[in-house]
Amino acid sequence: MVAVSPTILLVEDEPAQREILSYNLTAEGYRVATAADGDEALVQVDEAAPDLILLDWMLPGVSGIEICRRLKLRSETRAIPIIMISARSEEVDRVRGLETGADDYVSKPYSVIELLARVRAMLRRTRPATVGVVLEWADIRLDPETHRVHRAGGEVHLGPTEFRLLSTFMEKPGRVWSREQLLDRVWGRDIYVDTRTVDVHIGRLRKALGGQDVLRTVRGAGYALG
Ligand code: CA
């Protein structure tokens, strides 16, 4: 079970391939957004705010390589890991794919099991809490599978929103999150919530954690852990 379901954007123009992968990713507990061509992919990146992109190289219209290049140039999308999928298996293509900024590369025909393993391995690095990795920072320990948080050995009781907030902070200690970024990550893009709601839940999280305050308010920017 995943604590905070990551969203995977699947960009594939062949309907049968799209369906098989979409089915398998959903079965693994991921939220799945799909796009059948390059233009739709670029729209979905902004709408679905994916945690990872599975990107077919050969697409009608804008190619996978070009999408990858554009996303890696934009500061808002640069950090989203991209696994490039291609029917072209030659080494030179693999190198070209990775040079464009793709984080990993899989050739067709691929085994679905292997592809799922690559997705999981990538998320372990980029979104560890979503795949059940226990997070530890200073005297705080968060277990995404049991939903339990301990500080200095004692159990901390958190509501679901505070739990998601803390796992977001603990995945990237030191990173400054704006209120809008926290809303997208913790509440999701589809829900309209006032940014002041973030402050309310940060307050609850601070209170629940007790002890010395570990959450830093960065004036005009947002919040950070440590
Ligand atoms: Ca294709």
Side-chain angles (χ1 to χ4, degrees):
M1 199 194 88
V2 280
V4 191
S5 290
T7 301
I8 314 263
L9 172 59
L10 169 61
V11 188
E12 168 64 78
D13 58 314
E14 289 155 55
Q17 293 271 342
R18 202 166 58 235
E19 211 163 289
I20 289 168
L21 275 184
S22 180
Y23 172 82
N24 281 282
L25 289 165
T26 306
E28 287 286 296
Y30 302 119
R31 284 181 287 190
V32 182
T34 58
D37 61 52
D39 294 311
E40 203 185 336
L42 292 168
V43 172
Q44 283 286 3
V45 167
D46 291 327
E47 282 186 358
D51 297 295
L52 183 147
I53 303 172
L54 283 172
L55 183 59
D56 186 22
W57 180 318
M58 302 296 281
L59 291 169
V62 192
S63 75
I65 282 282
E66 178 58 20
I67 292 170
C68 183
R69 205 184 58 81
R70 288 192 201 173
L71 295 179
K72 293 297 178 184
L73 281 174
R74 275 169 61 196
S75 60
E76 316 85 74
T77 53
R78 186 174 296 148
I80 306 170
I82 296 176
I83 301 179
M84 189 76 87
I85 303 173
S86 170
R88 312 162 62 155
S89 59
E90 290 174 26
E91 197 59 23
V92 60
D93 287 334
R94 183 189 168 82
V95 169
R96 206 178 137 218
L98 295 173
E99 269 176 355
T100 323
D103 301 87
D104 199 359
Y105 184 101
V106 171
S107 339
K108 283 183 184 174
Y110 52 79
S111 103
V112 172
I113 290 170
E114 192 207 333
L115 189 64
L116 292 174
R118 299 274 194 107
V119 166
R120 201 177 157 83
M122 188 66 72
L123 289 170
R124 252 187 108 82
R125 285 193 349 234
T126 56
R127 299 291 321 278
T130 65
V131 289
V133 175
V134 173
L135 303 178
E136 286 183 284
W137 187 85
D139 58 354
I140 304 168
R141 185 174 193 278
L142 179 147
D143 185 336
E145 288 199 327
T146 59
H147 267 246
R148 292 180 110 171
V149 175
H150 287 85
R151 183 163 195 199
E155 185 155 9
V156 175
H157 297 279
L158 299 178
T161 303
E162 287 71 40
F163 184 86
R164 285 200 293 274
L165 267 174
L166 183 61
S167 57
T168 299
F169 285 118
M170 287 183 72
E171 282 185 331
K172 297 250 172 357
R175 175 184 162 164
V176 179
W177 295 86
S178 70
R179 288 169 177 80
E180 289 75 16
Q181 286 168 333
L182 289 171
L183 279 178
D184 283 351
R185 178 61 66 92
V186 175
W187 281 262
R189 283 248 161 141
D190 316 330
I191 300 160
Y192 178 77
V193 183
D194 195 274
T195 50
R196 273 170 301 186
T197 306
V198 176
D199 302 328
V200 171
H201 287 274
I202 290 278
R204 285 188 197 158
L205 175 59
R206 278 180 164 144
K207 197 168 169 222
L209 284 172
Q212 201 195 352
D213 190 11
V214 288
L215 290 172
R216 199 157 49 89
T217 304
V218 184
R219 216 164 280 281
Y223 297 100
L225 178 67

